[in-house]
Amino acid sequence: MSIEDSTGDDHIDDDEVVYLRVPPFPPFQKPQNWLTSANFKLDLRKNEQGLSVYRAKTRSVMQVLQDSNAIPGSFVVSATVGEIRNLKNVAGTLLNLDVLPRDDGGKNPGHAEIQSPTPGQISKSASKNLRDLFARSGRITES
């Protein structure tokens, strides 16, 4: 069990669905290209190690949208963990992304992070591929 996960479950199965909450304003949403790569960049000022997602088996869409940190008007997109782990760059090489449970010692149930092999870094290729993957799910505004 990691320090940041109190569930005792350090592995997330490939078939598990994760949600990404998208804020309702630029640069995260644009009318012409509604889901932007800005959603898939780390905020280095906050020392982020991975991209925040929520595990569907633990949190409903409504719980994600009604969380105290959620901004009204946000929406959710989804992907499976296996799809994330199988993303490749233009050369066909695996990006080696992983999804790791990070529930902050039980304070944030269902929270997880998409991380690259080097925590704290997400390549431009990974950002673009993640955007394209999550965009395919379409907007989810309720469960």
Side-chain angles (χ1 to χ4, degrees):
M1 177 167 64
S2 72
I3 294 171
E4 296 186 40
D5 180 50
S6 66
T7 65
D9 179 14
D10 284 338
H11 179 76
I12 301 176
D13 292 330
D14 282 350
D15 62 348
E16 192 170 328
V17 173
V18 292
Y19 300 131
L20 174 82
R21 186 174 53 222
V22 180
F25 45 77
F28 304 103
Q29 294 183 32
K30 292 184 180 177
Q32 312 85 345
N33 183 14
W34 62 274
L35 184 64
T36 70
S37 294
N39 293 285
F40 305 99
K41 294 181 180 173
L42 299 176
D43 187 342
L44 300 179
R45 297 169 297 175
K46 295 180 181 178
N47 195 30
E48 290 180 337
Q49 299 299 298
L51 300 168
S52 288
V53 292
Y54 297 89
R55 300 171 72 177
K57 81 174 197 178
T58 308
R59 303 279 304 267
S60 71
V61 170
M62 290 312 295
Q63 286 174 314
V64 172
L65 291 173
Q66 293 173 352
D67 184 88
S68 63
N69 295 325
I71 299 167
S74 296
F75 65 88
V76 168
V77 290
S78 66
T80 67
V81 171
E83 290 171 319
I84 294 166
R85 289 179 177 144
N86 287 308
L87 287 174
K88 297 177 182 177
N89 64 20
V90 292
T93 306
L94 280 174
L95 292 168
N96 293 314
L97 298 175
D98 202 0
V99 182
L100 305 170
R102 296 288 184 257
D103 76 358
D104 193 22
K107 297 177 192 167
N108 198 356
H111 183 256
E113 289 182 351
I114 299 171
Q115 289 189 357
S116 72
T118 306
Q121 296 180 8
I122 298 287
S123 69
K124 287 182 184 180
S125 177
S127 292
K128 179 190 177 307
N129 279 281
L130 285 164
R131 180 201 64 209
D132 293 348
L133 171 64
F134 278 90
R136 287 195 291 271
S137 77
R139 295 176 190 233
I140 306 170
T141 55
E142 57 188 51
S143 46

